[in-house]
Each structure stands twice: as C-alpha cells, then as structure tokens.
Amino acid sequence: MNQAPTRGPASKVELHIECQHLIKKDSTSKSDPCVAFFMFQQGTWNEIGRTENIQNCHDPKFANGFVVEYFFEEVQKIKFEVYDLDNATPKLTDDDFLGMLECNLAQVISKNPFYSPLKKKNGKDNMANSTITVRSEEVKEGGLMAYMSFSAKKLDNKDFMGKSDPYIEISKGMPDGTWVVVHRTEVIKNTLNPTWRPFNLAENVMCGGDKNKDIKFDVFDYDNDGSHDLIGTFITTITAMSEAIKQPASFPCINPKKKEKKRSYENSGIVHLTSFKLERNPSFLEFIYGGMQVNFTVGVDFTASNGDPKTANSLHYINPYQPNEYQQAIQAVGAVCQDYDTDKMFPALGFGAQIPPEMKVSMEFALNFNATNPYCAGIQGILDAYTNCIQQIRLYGPTNVSPIIYHVARFAEAAQKEEATKGAHAYFALLLLTDGVITDMDATRQAIVYCSGLPMSLIIVGVGNADFADMNFLDGDDGVLKGPNGQPAQRDIVQFVPFRDFKRVSGNDPNASAAELAKQVLAEVPQQVVKYYSMRKMLPNVPQK
C-alpha cells in the first residue's frame, strides 16, 4: 500500500522588510507605506499579514516582520505588495499601489539579504527606482522574555518651537553587519525628560539568544512630516542590561555628527534603564496545559439596519437550507473556542432590539431571555437560542456595543481578582457580530482601553456589506488605541474582520468561508493570552497529574 508523502520537518523563519525610494503618491506629503505579505496556498494567494503603517516615509524600515514555516522540499511562492495607506478601511484596493515583489521563500533564505526592484502590477516592469530588501533569520523557539522600562534626562532639543518629541527605536544586528528595527516605543510629546511605558521583547527577537550580542538604541525626535531627527545612539547587550537588576543603568546618548564637530561634546542626553528583568517566555499551550479556560461569549446585533427577519434579504433571515452569516460565524468561531472550555456553557447576548414582554429597547439582553442565567449548552444551544430570539424581538437600534463589552469585562475583572489564589486560570473571548458602524464609538474605545488590562479579547465580525471603515480604527495593529481622554490601551485586544472577505475567498461556500473566518479571527488570541499574563508577570499553572 502506497503511503502519502509526508512533509519534512519545518523551520520557522522571520522576514524583516525594508523599502527604498518609494514613489510619491500624496500631493502634499510623503507616502504612508505598509507591506502586505501573501503566500500561494491551495491555488490562491492568501494574505498572511501586514507590517505597521509608517507615516510620511519613502525609505521605511518596518519593525513588524512575518514568521513563516519553511519547508526545504517545497516550492513556497511568496509575494510582498507595498501600499500607501490613506484611509482606515481594511481592504487594499482603495489604497495607492507602490510596488510588488513575487518570488520563492527559498530565494529569500539562500540570498540573505535578498534585494530586488519593486515591480508594477504586471510583475515585469520596475516601479521607478523603488526597491525592497528582505532579511531572513531562523526563529528559535522558547527562550526568555525581557521586561524593561526607560526614561531619559536632558535630551537635546531638536525643535525650534517647543521641545523635542522623543521615542526610542531598538535594532538587532544581522549577519551582514546591518541593523533591523525590532521595536519602537511610543512618542512622548514636548519634553526633554521623557518616561516611556514599560514594554517587553523576547530575548530571541533582540539578540537571537546571544546575551553578549550588541543591541542598538536610537533616540529620535518625532516630526509629523517623517523627517525624524536623530538625537543620539547607544549600544548595549542583554548582559549589560541585566546589571540593572542590581542598580539602574545609564547610557550616554551619542550623536556621531555632533561628536565629530565639537571637541567639547559629551552627549546628547542620558537614557536610564529604570528596570530590567528576564523571565521564561511561556507558550499559549503551557497556559492551556496548566488548566486555563477560554470563556467564550457571543454578542449579536439586532438593530433595524439588518432588515426585517421575515424577508429573504435580511441578514437575520432564517433559511432552513443555508445558515445566514450570523449563524455561520457563531458556528465557526464557537467550534474552535468550545474545546478550551470544560463545561461548554456559553453566555449569548443581544443588543439593539425591543424585547418582550414590554418591548422596551435593550442594549444588553440574554438570547434565551433569562437575565440571571444567559448560558446556552454548547454552540448548538447558542444557535437554538438565536433562532428562537429572532422570532420574538423587534429590530431597533442604535448600535451601542459598550454595554456588552462591559458585561463580559465584569467577569474578566472577577477572574483577575482570583489570580492571587488561582493563578492563570481564566481568559475571556467576546465574539461581537454587527452589521454596521458602532454608534457609541467613544464609549466603546473607553471600554476597550479598560478591558486591555483584563484577561479578555474582543473579536468583531462585520456582517453584510456595510462600510466598516471606522471599525478598523479599533484594531490596534497599526498603532496604540487610545480612549477619548487620551489614555492608551495597555495591549492590543481587538481583532476585526468583515465576513464578506471570507465569502469572496471561498467562493461563497459556507463551510469553507466559516473555516477561514475562524482561522483568521482567532489567530491573535493565543498571543493576546500570553501577552496578558506576561504583563501580569504570571507563569502558567503547574499541570495537575
């Protein structure tokens, strides 16, 4: 009997991207580039991820790379597409195209760094003088996580009006002698004595696990037009920073040009490493093995913009032969989440409807109409409650989602208080299904900022064909989400996707689109779990024998 060939062992590699001489698409400013990364899988190009969006820059060095599995025995086609992002929509078709590179992963790995002209959409002609450089390195599993915080004193003032707006850019050394950016802090406005928020980076990301390998810290003054001024630089190692455990370490910030011009030059300020700690970097599975439960809650939009459920064009129409998008999303995401919850009892909530018996508008009600026990038995229980609910309510509005977010936050807050005795035991994922723009956006932003400090993630699925441009604003992938009062989120907890994207990819096959939806919307949850417990400085519980 012939056996199907098996894949050889996979190595994980991280790809670091830089672009040079990107063309100018904006009439009054430089382009705002972002790189989308695709892999050719099962006969189609699938987007794997995107870099951050860098403002006003024609020579960007992206801090966010791409980690992929590399198979020696396979031809793995990859593609990089560069865009000037001028709006908040998640689609790329309405952004200016700046060039592309299509090649094989093996080419990138065998020639490191891999350098190529960017091509036009036809894949043949060069896009002016624009180029792309891709550097690759093997990802080492496990390792340690470095937790650190920095401040600075007496930095040089680079602004004529006001004071500098400093931020730190951290770079690791590559085998070819170049540096690649691995992290940027937030910008602190109008100060020469900044204190940056604490952050953490994997030791492997900073130095490949070599504690004596140089790490470069560049302090810049941020400018809106992208012409950031270098204040100064210092180079250190993990070994040297580890001394900060005993006492705070200080590093003179040196500007090479000023040092060359002035004999009396000493420094452009002092950067202080106020705290530093190395801890083991646990994986998501270690938390699961330690007994952590992922508690899954569904929130459903019953506003009037969904259309009358009795008509076939309504997003809530119950078709006995094919599930609607709400049903597909609940089934797909729930099928994955339910395996991490032992009792398989899930709260299911609705908002934006008039509910019986008084038919008053509610922004937070149980689908089973049992306010004291909104739990449904399994995913089928949620679907049954949804089907029954849609026949008894009257769609209304507005689309206020903050009440449901705070509803789940109360449980997450209670679980956090129990961490002192129960450890890393419970995490909450809210699947929020909506057909339109959120009407309580400020309250929602404030709720998300509040929840970013709790064991909680928010997955928003946009149902239907509405314009979801404002929704992407809540996803912190392109920057730190801030509340109306300016308070920043402690971590990124939001993932937003429009369901129509998965219908298009799968050719309207409900099973295929639902499976792809689950894969994409849940992709960030494991790392959000790890980041939460890292922020709380908590390790997984010891598995029970």
Side-chain angles (χ1 to χ4, degrees), residues 394-469:
R394 185 180 300 128
L395 304 193
Y396 207 75
T399 311
N400 292 349
V401 302
S402 58
I404 283 183
I405 296 175
Y406 280 119
H407 177 102
V408 178
R410 289 193 291 272
F411 291 93
E413 190 176 42
Q416 187 179 73
K417 291 177 180 177
E418 293 180 325
E419 287 172 358
T421 55
K422 295 184 177 181
H425 71 292
Y427 194 88
F428 294 79
L430 169 59
L431 172 64
L432 194 62
L433 306 167
T434 179
D435 83 310
V437 177
I438 293 172
T439 49
D440 63 338
M441 183 60 81
D442 282 352
T444 297
R445 286 166 56 199
Q446 191 60 50
I448 292 171
V449 169
Y450 171 71
C451 293
S452 69
L454 298 174
M456 180 173 166
S457 290
L458 174 59
I459 302 162
I460 306 176
V461 176
V463 176
N465 295 312
D467 181 1
F468 294 112

Side-chain angles (χ1 to χ4, degrees), residues 126-140:
N126 290 349
M127 181 67 82
N129 295 319
S130 302
T131 60
I132 185 170
T133 302
V134 184
R135 291 180 172 86
S136 64
E137 62 176 336
E138 184 174 2
V139 176
K140 296 181 175 66

Side-chain angles (χ1 to χ4, degrees), residues 30-341:
K30 298 177 182 177
S31 295
D32 307 322
C34 169
V35 177
F37 175 59
F38 300 81
M39 296 191 76
F40 195 73
Q41 300 166 325
Q42 298 180 337
T44 187
W45 286 105
N46 293 319
E47 183 179 340
I48 305 302
R50 300 179 190 180
T51 65
E52 73 274 23
N53 182 207
I54 296 183
Q55 301 293 310
N56 295 313
C57 185
H58 290 159
D59 301 286
K61 297 181 178 180
F62 298 98
N64 295 349
F66 306 108
V67 176
V68 297
E69 286 190 332
Y70 163 65
F71 295 93
F72 175 78
E73 71 279 11
E74 292 186 12
V75 175
Q76 295 174 275
K77 292 182 180 180
I78 59 176
K79 181 170 61 173
F80 303 92
E81 292 186 354
V82 188
Y83 289 88
D84 172 20
L85 299 190
D86 289 321
N87 55 62
T89 65
K91 59 184 179 181
L92 296 170
T93 52
D94 57 358
D95 296 304
D96 290 321
F97 178 77
L98 300 180
M100 61 167 282
L101 166 66
E102 184 178 327
C103 61
N104 293 333
L105 182 59
Q107 290 176 274
V108 172
I109 292 173
S110 61
K111 189 177 182 181
N112 193 17
F114 183 80
Y115 175 86
S116 172
L118 283 170
K119 302 291 185 180
K120 295 182 178 180
K121 287 188 177 181
N122 61 18
K124 297 178 181 179
D125 300 327
N126 290 349
M127 181 67 82
N129 295 319
S130 302
T131 60
I132 185 170
T133 302
V134 184
R135 291 180 172 86
S136 64
E137 62 176 336
E138 184 174 2
V139 176
K140 296 181 175 66
E141 300 290 347
L144 300 173
M145 182 70 74
Y147 299 83
M148 65 200 93
S149 58
F150 289 90
S151 65
K153 296 292 184 183
K154 299 181 179 179
L155 294 177
D156 283 353
N157 191 7
K158 294 289 185 177
D159 292 342
F160 178 71
M161 299 289 290
K163 298 176 182 178
S164 295
D165 305 317
Y167 70 94
I168 302 176
E169 192 172 270
I170 302 174
S171 301
K172 71 185 294 184
M174 299 297 285
D176 64 343
T178 58
W179 298 94
V180 296
V181 180
V182 296
H183 183 76
R184 291 185 183 93
T185 67
E186 76 280 15
V187 176
I188 307 295
K189 293 286 188 178
N190 199 35
T191 180
L192 303 180
N193 302 295
T195 297
W196 290 281
R197 287 200 309 272
F199 62 93
N200 54 280
L201 282 173
E203 182 192 50
N204 288 330
V205 169
M206 298 176 72
C207 62
D210 181 354
K211 291 183 174 61
N212 295 312
K213 187 176 181 179
D214 284 347
I215 305 166
K216 184 161 71 88
F217 294 76
D218 293 310
V219 183
F220 287 94
D221 168 35
Y222 177 86
D223 288 318
N224 288 329
D225 64 1
S227 58
H228 314 308
D229 298 312
L230 177 68
I231 296 176
T233 297
F234 66 91
I235 293 177
T236 187
T237 64
I238 292 285
T239 298
M241 288 192 288
S242 296
E243 294 299 313
I245 297 173
K246 303 173 186 175
Q247 61 182 32
S250 299
F251 304 95
C253 210
I254 305 300
N255 187 308
K257 290 184 178 179
K258 293 189 68 172
K259 184 178 181 181
E260 189 177 319
K261 290 180 180 178
K262 288 186 178 182
R263 290 186 179 180
S264 60
Y265 175 80
E266 293 183 1
N267 60 65
S268 294
I270 304 293
V271 175
H272 300 281
L273 177 62
T274 53
S275 67
F276 186 86
K277 182 166 63 173
L278 282 174
E279 289 188 350
R280 187 170 66 84
N281 186 18
S283 69
F284 172 70
L285 284 180
E286 287 182 89
F287 286 103
I288 295 297
Y289 292 147
M292 185 203 71
Q293 298 285 301
V294 177
N295 299 279
F296 177 58
T297 301
V298 173
V300 179
D301 179 349
F302 290 108
T303 55
S305 54
N306 283 278
D308 184 353
K310 296 183 178 66
T311 63
N313 59 354
S314 169
L315 294 170
H316 281 303
Y317 178 68
I318 304 299
N319 184 335
Y321 304 105
Q322 180 174 321
N324 63 36
E325 290 187 15
Y326 283 97
Q327 292 170 310
Q328 290 179 53
I330 293 170
Q331 177 66 51
V333 179
V336 175
C337 290
Q338 69 176 350
D339 290 334
Y340 300 102
D341 190 306

